[in-house]
Amino acid sequence: MTPPTDSRRGFLGRAIALLAGGTALLAPAVWGSIAFLNPLRLKGRSGGFRRLASLDQLPEDGTPLRLTILDERTDAWTRYPIDAVGAVFVRRTGKDRVEALQVTCPHLGCSIVYQAAPGGGAFLCPCHQAHFDLNGKRIDLPSQSPRDMDALEVEIRNRNEVWVKYQTFASGTAKKIATS
Ligand code: FES
């Protein structure tokens, strides 16, 4: 058998170096794709718009409805394919206009309730008695709540579908800071 010539050794060396370099470049791309396609990552999309109701389901007099938000939820041990992760108040403010408010109180995160009353109701946080009008504005200032109720983006699609962008926000701060 004849020993490899210098040019063959050079070719083999370059091929091995190319293979090693290619593998090093490819590995992050492969792991990035796996991470991107991982179903658990889809949880991050819970901040997107979701169809919650149709226009004709909302009372025409502007009375708010409390609607539960369902999504995948995972705790330390268990993955729940569908579970309640939050709620929003949705109400009609005109023929084709709808407003949505996060039910979580901006003070310390308790659930705000709607209190019906003759001539128009209001929202109340039962934990420290913060009051809000139907638009989510604080009343009875100074309020325990550092800001008004958190309004959510609403879109009416296909004339009758009410889509709400569900988001959560940091509590205890005057600034509205999205956390999802
Ligand atoms: S948590 Fe709502 S007023 Fe304190």
Side-chain angles (χ1 to χ4, degrees):
M1 198 168 98
T2 54
T5 62
D6 280 354
S7 66
R8 279 180 66 194
R9 269 201 295 267
F11 171 78
L12 274 176
R14 280 197 298 276
I16 289 168
L18 259 175
L19 197 63
T23 306
L25 281 175
L26 210 58
V30 170
W31 282 112
S33 302
I34 290 170
F36 183 77
L37 296 172
N38 183 344
L40 293 178
R41 187 188 150 85
L42 298 179
K43 283 193 301 181
R45 296 185 188 173
S46 65
F49 281 87
R50 53 187 80 208
R51 184 181 172 181
L52 293 188
S54 53
L55 258 183
D56 45 27
Q57 289 176 313
L58 304 181
E60 286 183 9
D61 65 359
T63 301
L65 289 187
R66 186 184 192 279
L67 303 176
T68 301
I69 303 294
L70 299 172
D71 207 343
E72 177 187 305
R73 186 173 72 79
T74 306
D75 64 19
W77 305 105
T78 313
R79 177 178 163 270
Y80 304 91
I82 197 82
D83 202 4
V85 295
V88 297
F89 288 114
V90 179
R91 75 183 193 97
R92 211 162 169 159
T93 55
K95 187 170 174 292
D96 298 320
R97 293 218 323 270
V98 171
E99 282 182 1
L101 297 167
Q102 171 59 265
V103 304
T104 303
C105 180
H107 181 217
L108 293 177
C110 290
S111 275
I112 293 169
V113 296
Y114 169 67
Q115 290 190 313
F123 295 110
L124 164 73
C125 179
C127 288
H128 308 101
Q129 307 299 306
H131 286 82
F132 307 87
D133 69 15
L134 282 180
N135 298 314
K137 301 264 179 276
R138 287 166 295 172
I139 46 184
D140 296 342
L141 289 170
S143 169
Q144 289 284 0
S145 179
R147 63 176 187 270
D148 298 335
M149 288 172 72
D150 296 311
L152 301 169
E153 289 178 54
V154 178
E155 286 182 5
I156 306 297
R157 298 182 188 173
N158 302 317
R159 294 169 178 250
N160 195 40
E161 297 170 2
V162 179
W163 290 73
V164 175
K165 185 176 180 182
Y166 181 71
Q167 284 186 284
T168 55
F169 301 90
S171 58
T173 166
K175 203 168 168 197
K176 186 178 174 185
I177 302 167
T179 54
S180 72

